Amino acid sequence: GAVQARGEELGLSVTVFDAKQDVSNQISQVESVVSQGYDGILVEPVSKEGVTAGLKAANEAGIPTITLAQQASQQRGAQQASPPQASAFVGGNDTAAGRLEMEKAIEAMGGAGTVAILYGPMGSDGQLLRKDGYDQALADHPGVSVVFEQTANWDTAEALTVTENWLSTGQ
C-alpha cells in the first residue's frame, strides 16, 4: 500500500500486520517484531489497555513505538515510575470530535429528540474519548436522550444488521 511505497521512497522496509481487531493477535504481532529486532513500530491499538504488554516489550527492547489514531494506556509500573510505553502519539482529539459530532446532530434535530449511537470496538481509545465528547454535549441538552448504544466493531455488515434491528424492532 501507500505506507510501504512511501517507506521505499525513504529507503525503509515497511511490514504491515493486521490484528483483525483481536488484542491477543496484536500483542503477539508486536512481540514478534520486537524479537525480530525491528527498528521501530507504528501501531493503532485495538484496545486502550490491551496492547500495553506488547508496547512494554518494545520499550524494554529499546524499540521506539508510535501509536496512531488511538492511544494506548500510558500506565506506569506499580512499584516505580517508568517511561511511557509508547514513544509518541499521532492522532486527533477524539473528545472534541465526539462533542462536535453530537452538537451537530443535536442542531440537526432542532435541539430535542432521541439518538442512537453506533460505536467502533468497545474499550478502544476512540470509542471511550468520543463517548466522553458525546456525553458532554448531551449534558447541555436535556431534551435529547440516547435510546440505543451498541458496537458494530468497525464492521460494515455488523453495523447494517444492528441498525436494521434498531429500525425494525426498536431494539
Side-chain angles (χ1 to χ4, degrees):
V3 172
Q4 290 163 313
R6 181 64 176 142
E8 286 180 24
E9 288 175 18
L10 297 171
L12 303 171
S13 175
V14 177
T15 306
V16 177
F17 298 91
D18 182 358
K20 303 206 181 299
Q21 295 303 318
D22 184 301
V23 172
S24 59
N25 281 349
Q26 190 165 62
I27 292 169
S28 294
Q29 290 168 342
V30 172
E31 289 174 343
S32 176
V33 300
V34 168
S35 69
Q36 293 175 52
Y38 278 57
D39 295 316
I41 300 170
L42 304 174
V43 62
E44 180 179 355
V46 170
S47 163
K48 187 171 182 71
E49 301 297 329
V51 75
T52 57
L55 296 179
K56 182 174 187 254
N59 192 40
E60 289 172 354
I63 299 172
T65 58
I66 299 173
T67 55
L68 305 169
Q70 300 197 80
Q71 297 186 62
S73 175
Q74 297 292 310
Q75 294 179 337
R76 298 183 182 274
Q79 299 285 331
Q80 60 187 16
S82 62
Q85 293 168 344
S87 306
F89 167 68
V90 177
N93 182 333
D94 280 311
T95 303
R99 183 177 181 101
L100 180 61
E101 289 168 3
M102 187 59 72
E103 286 173 349
K104 290 299 179 183
I106 292 168
E107 180 182 311
M109 296 168 29
T114 56
V115 176
I117 302 173
L118 190 60
Y119 293 110
M122 300 304 279
S124 66
D125 187 52
Q127 180 268 319
L128 294 168
L129 294 175
R130 294 234 175 174
K131 182 180 184 328
D132 286 346
Y134 299 159
D135 291 346
Q136 289 173 14
L138 289 165
D140 294 338
H141 296 88
V144 178
S145 61
V146 177
V147 292
F148 298 116
E149 292 180 273
Q150 190 171 334
T151 183
N153 298 300
W154 289 333
D155 181 276
T156 303
E158 187 176 346
L160 179 61
T161 300
V162 169
T163 304
E164 286 175 340
N165 189 42
W166 286 346
L167 293 172
S168 66
T169 67
Q171 297 183 20

